[in-house]
Amino acid sequence: MPMPPSLHELQRAFGAALVGGDGEPLAPWIAARGIEPAARLRIYRHANLAIHVEALATSFPATLRLLGEACFDGVATRHAAWIGSTSGNLQAYGADFPGFLAAQPELAAYAWVAEVARLEWLRQETALAAPGSLADPLALVLALAAAIDPVVRLQPHLRVCSSTVPVLGLWRYAMESGRTVAPDGSPEHVLLWRAPEGIAMRAVGPALADFAGALLAGERLAAACARAPATAPQELLARLLEHGLIAAISPATEDASA
């Protein structure tokens, strides 16, 4: 009789059976107890897939509504079976789901669905991001006036979504009752942040989206302003200050990641 596998080997084989469906190497070491080992593994595998599909449905409710339950369940099950989660925390599961949707041949004519899913994952990131300190607006203005090409640090929960489709309009069309007319096909830029009442989403112009994205990427003020040359820096900063999205302003000698 062969030597029994170690606990580590059993755990790896069990994980492989859940993801890949091949439980044959593990079967000799599973007590039947009224259920064949292969059937017992199928129960665990189906339960594992169902948990992952439910996690995707929770994170992507608008995508589910746009695709319909049957289609969403099929593509989510495929994602769970082929890719699955690399983390024990299911809140982190789904970051690659928008890209997975975009790669599915049957959804090629519905590329906008993947864009809505991308917006929904940014909502997830916003909800889970670390809280930021709310700086005094007057202190920010004085710091901005005193510094030369400062580092403007934005709230860590702020996200920017720039899309070639009306992504926020589509999300609202799917999620808000009473909307019976889909938006037109115009591109849309969206700022997302965590507000007291929940996740705030605001459609903005491309200048503000590019400016905020540059600051989030760690660029200094002058470089970020260069991305929106047709808009005054004061106007761009005022829009961010309006919603409390600027956390701090530091002299250019300080590291932007500090």
Side-chain angles (χ1 to χ4, degrees):
M1 183 175 179
M3 289 291 293
S6 66
L7 175 61
H8 178 67
E9 291 171 333
L10 283 172
Q11 290 172 333
R12 287 181 61 88
F14 182 67
L18 290 184
V19 175
D22 181 15
E24 185 175 347
L26 192 60
W29 312 106
I30 299 176
R33 296 180 181 174
I35 303 177
E36 288 296 323
R40 188 181 293 274
L41 283 174
R42 281 197 299 272
I43 292 172
Y44 279 108
R45 175 170 166 77
H46 292 160
N48 178 65
L49 290 176
I51 289 170
H52 284 76
V53 170
E54 181 61 28
L56 291 177
T58 300
S59 298
F60 300 95
T63 305
L64 188 158
R65 293 188 181 188
L66 291 170
L67 286 177
E69 187 173 346
C71 181
F72 183 91
D73 185 76
V75 73
T77 301
R78 190 183 310 164
H79 180 276
W82 290 1
I83 299 175
S85 176
T86 58
S87 170
N89 182 1
L90 283 177
Q91 288 183 316
Y93 174 57
D96 58 350
F97 191 56
F100 184 81
L101 289 174
Q104 301 311 299
E106 68 269 34
L107 298 178
Y110 308 98
W112 45 270
V113 173
E115 290 293 289
V116 174
R118 187 162 64 91
L119 177 69
E120 293 200 285
W121 187 253
L122 290 177
R123 285 177 57 87
Q124 178 83 340
E125 288 186 352
T126 298
L128 299 177
S133 57
L134 188 59
D136 175 49
L138 179 58
L140 291 176
V141 171
L142 292 176
L144 182 63
I148 299 175
D149 194 16
V151 175
V152 179
R153 290 197 290 271
L154 303 183
Q155 295 292 346
H157 50 80
L158 177 65
R159 296 292 186 273
V160 179
C161 181
S162 292
S163 176
T164 57
V165 303
V167 64
L168 181 56
L170 287 165
W171 183 89
R172 287 174 172 162
Y173 170 73
M175 295 299 295
E176 297 178 4
S177 60
R179 289 181 179 263
T180 57
V181 179
D184 62 27
S186 303
E188 210 161 35
H189 307 269
V190 183
L191 295 188
L192 307 89
W193 69 92
R194 198 163 57 234
E197 64 275 11
I199 304 302
M201 298 191 293
R202 180 70 58 87
V204 300
L208 182 58
D210 290 343
F211 178 70
L215 292 178
L216 286 171
E219 294 187 13
R220 301 196 187 281
L221 182 60
C225 289
R227 295 181 177 275
T231 307
Q234 295 86 345
E235 179 183 343
L236 296 169
L237 289 166
R239 295 286 302 279
L240 297 176
L241 274 171
E242 176 187 359
H243 300 293
L245 299 179
I246 299 178
I249 294 176
S250 308
T253 54
E254 292 191 13
D255 185 359
S257 63

